[in-house]
Amino acid sequence: MRLAWPAALGSLLILFVRSIESFEVPALLGLPVGIHVYTSAIYQAIHQYPSQIGLAAAYAVTLLLLTSLGIYAQSRLSSQGARFSTVTGKGFRPRTIDLGRWRYLTATIFILYFVVIVLLPFLVLAWSSLQKFYSAPSWAALSRVSLDSYRAVLAYPQFANTVWNSVVLALGSATTVMLMSAVIAWIVVRTKVPGRWMLDNLASLPLVFPGLVLGLAIMVCYLYVDIGVYGTLWIMFIAYVTRFLPYGMRYNSTSMLQIHKELEESAAMSGASWSMTFRRVVLPLLKPGLLAGWIYVMIVSIRELSSSILLYSPGTEVVSIMIWELWQNGQYVELSALGVMLIVALFLMVMLAQLAGRRFGIAET
Amino acid sequence: MLSVRSLFTEYANERGGAVKAAQNVSFEVPEGKLFTLLGPSGCGKTTMLRSIAGLEKPIAGEIEVAGRLVYSSDKGVFVAPNKRNFGMVFQSYAIWPHMNVFQNVAFPLEVRRFAKKDIRDKVMRVLHAVALEELVDRDATKLSGGQQQRLALARALVMEPQLLLLDEPLSNLDAKLRDRMRSELKRLQRDLNLTTVYVTHDQTEALALSHEIAVMNEGRVVQVGTPRQIYEQPMDQFVADFVGTTNFIGGTVTALGDGRCVVSSAVGELKAHASEGVSKNATVIVSVRPEDVELSEQPPIAADGDNVCRGTVDAKDFLGDYLDFHVKVGDVVLLAKAHPSLRTPTGDPIYLRMKADKCVAISRQ
């Protein structure tokens, strides 16, 4: 138990930061009934007329301070003792513990957790998407099952455009994030460039920015620095790449540490230039991590709401914004239909990517 | 062919401090010869090799290969490793796990933009030379240790390098395989007439393979010579001790002349070969190899120049093809290698004969 303390406290801090910066849940459940938290206050300050950017910024800075403190404390905690414990990952063998009779209890808890957290909400979502208006599941309601809501969503004028935006953004940002963080991770892990730790920190810095704060910062920044990205997909692309770069770093630097330096040196001795070595040796060896990170960034990009909500403009809506608007308009049935489609699409994507990963992955030794 | 002139190198330790690796190292390797850097771990031999390869940058000195300067601190020359055209076999072999045997060997040629057909021909020829042509399509990770070693060698040879650099290539193999690969390596080097620099801490390998050996200790070259010179006429205590097993007998020089000397020691008067720096009345140590200590139960016929003394058998170890006798002469215990037919029991008297030119007097540091 003593040994687990730092980890437990660390998770507590992470959870604290994650909850204080989360926007979707407090906005969806809190705003209508007037419960305000930091993030929803920022959102409201921007979305009233005239918008009070100053007030939002003030909220944002305080929030940033809180999250920075949390992350700082967490990193201090986790750096004690085992800084590079990930490197030892290769020799680590998880042991199966025989739980005896307790296994029924733990299994039940797991299944219950899965049912309550994942399956039940999804089933309710699926059910309500099949109705014309929201009603509790019953035999009478069963006879009214129809696919009208799906038709309605698909017939939405901006639907195709919105999906297209989401897909392009997710693909673009996932690819950019993974390639960029691969290069940064290489510089941090491999070279002796002075100040490379700064690069590492810089790439991890967005982690302390709540999405809404980052969105606000980028919005304000490109309102003043006019390089023509404001009001286009590019500004959201910038936000996504910034926001998810730390995740890319995590995936890449972990796998980079496991690539033996001599594998690159032997490429150099074979006459390969740096870019050739990176393309032909480093990237293929990073592939498992790259692919996993790519899928992850894809998914979080498609779900991303808190930055997008401040940055989208007519014509650059994404799927998460569409869900948000449906909610605001009270179109719960259409919302459910869109939600079901989104979940199924994401699920299929993950399956496909994992299949591809297994097919083209490095042969196990 | 290769000449290294007053090279100084250092590397950074974990705390960022500089560790001096090689200090004022100079040597010449003639065309087609195998030159070995021999020394204990941490003596700077690997850093030396990596400096020749260009994987590490020395702080001062010059390296020239076939008239081309690849490094010079004075002239500010540093040729990148991928532009040097040296083949290198790493200690870990550094086989690329995401490629098969053919792709691994073809890589240096692809980098040099050879035509497809030429690549095929050259790869097959070199794979034939290392007896791997049967496994051309095998995944590199599915090779045994010896096969991986040969693959690494093939990859270094395929580009017809000017210089071959080998970093402890046999240290990861088991004893039997190591012996076989050693003679294989020797045959290949002699057949191809490749100028080779070989790094090892194993004196047997060094003695068996090399045309010339440089023994290194604490960043300095202590002695350069043929295997026979290094073994039979070590110039200092470190070389005598590190290369092979030896007996050290302390004493004082009482007479000196014509490269010979007489040493008054604990086992009596010893006629010995005087190495450089030995002067009259100086305290010296005399080194005698165990196989040069001849044992007999009867007093041996002492020719001129033989040292003969009497001792008692202190202990003996039967090692199959020979016996280790520990013989006590006065207060000194000498190790002698004897034929298993000698069966003198422990505690019995025994005679020792050591030829004068097999005893080397080394000045004491």
Side-chain angles (χ1 to χ4, degrees), chain A residues 13-252:
Chain A
L13 279 166
I14 285 280
L15 286 176
F16 168 75
V17 170
R18 285 280 161 265
S19 351
I20 199 165
E21 70 172 36
S22 83
F23 168 69
E24 292 88 340
V25 174
L28 287 179
L29 302 179
L31 274 184
V33 290
I35 301 171
H36 291 288
V37 294
Y38 262 118
T39 47
S40 49
I42 295 173
Y43 172 71
Q44 282 207 319
I46 296 288
H47 269 250
Q48 54 186 263
Y49 189 80
S51 56
Q52 292 178 285
I53 291 184
L55 180 66
Y59 277 131
V61 169
T62 343
L63 179 58
L64 191 58
L65 212 65
L66 274 172
T67 55
S68 308
L69 273 176
I71 297 268
Y72 176 72
Q74 196 271 335
S75 72
R76 278 296 294 271
L77 208 65
S78 65
S79 69
Q80 279 171 4
R83 264 206 79 186
F84 290 107
S85 52
T86 41
V87 191
T88 62
K90 263 190 172 168
F92 177 73
R93 289 263 185 291
R95 236 169 349 122
T96 325
I97 301 173
D98 193 1
L99 290 172
R101 279 178 303 147
W102 290 99
R103 67 176 183 270
Y104 299 110
L105 183 67
T106 46
T108 316
I109 291 173
F110 268 117
I111 293 168
L112 215 65
Y113 180 85
F114 176 76
V115 167
V116 171
I117 301 294
V118 183
L119 201 60
L120 219 58
F122 179 74
L123 286 179
V124 170
L125 204 64
W127 166 263
S128 57
S129 72
L130 296 173
Q131 299 292 312
K132 280 198 175 67
F133 46 88
Y134 184 73
S135 52
S138 65
W139 284 115
L142 197 61
S143 60
R144 294 196 294 271
V145 161
S146 80
L147 289 172
D148 283 356
S149 58
Y150 288 88
R151 256 171 245 130
V153 170
L154 291 173
Y156 239 65
Q158 317 100 320
F159 180 75
N161 186 37
T162 305
V163 170
W164 175 248
N165 285 344
S166 268
V167 169
V168 166
L169 270 174
L171 277 174
S173 53
T175 312
T176 314
V177 160
M178 290 323 285
L179 288 180
M180 225 161 101
S181 57
V183 175
I184 297 175
W186 185 85
I187 294 173
V188 171
V189 173
R190 279 289 183 267
T191 65
K192 298 186 180 117
V193 179
R196 62 188 190 281
W197 59 271
M198 247 169 63
L199 202 60
D200 191 17
N201 285 358
L202 216 62
S204 313
L205 198 63
L207 214 54
V208 306
F209 278 82
L212 206 66
V213 174
L214 190 78
L216 181 68
I218 287 178
M219 181 184 98
V220 174
C221 174
Y222 290 106
L223 267 178
Y224 291 117
V225 186
D226 187 21
I227 52 168
V229 294
Y230 192 80
T232 66
L233 273 181
W234 285 106
I235 196 165
M236 290 163 85
F237 173 75
I238 293 171
Y240 287 12
V241 168
T242 319
R243 212 173 155 205
F244 301 132
L245 199 61
Y247 300 107
M249 279 298 286
R250 283 285 153 88
Y251 280 101
N252 277 326

Side-chain angles (χ1 to χ4, degrees), chain B residues 1 36 72 96 99 135 178 210 229 239 261 269 271 321-322 341-342 349:
Chain B
M1 159 69 187
T36 298
S72 166
W96 298 305
M99 301 183 191
L135 305 174
R178 190 158 50 216
S210 323
Q229 280 169 344
V239 177
C261 62
E269 292 260 289
K271 283 164 273 188
D321 48 352
Y322 65 94
S341 62
L342 190 69

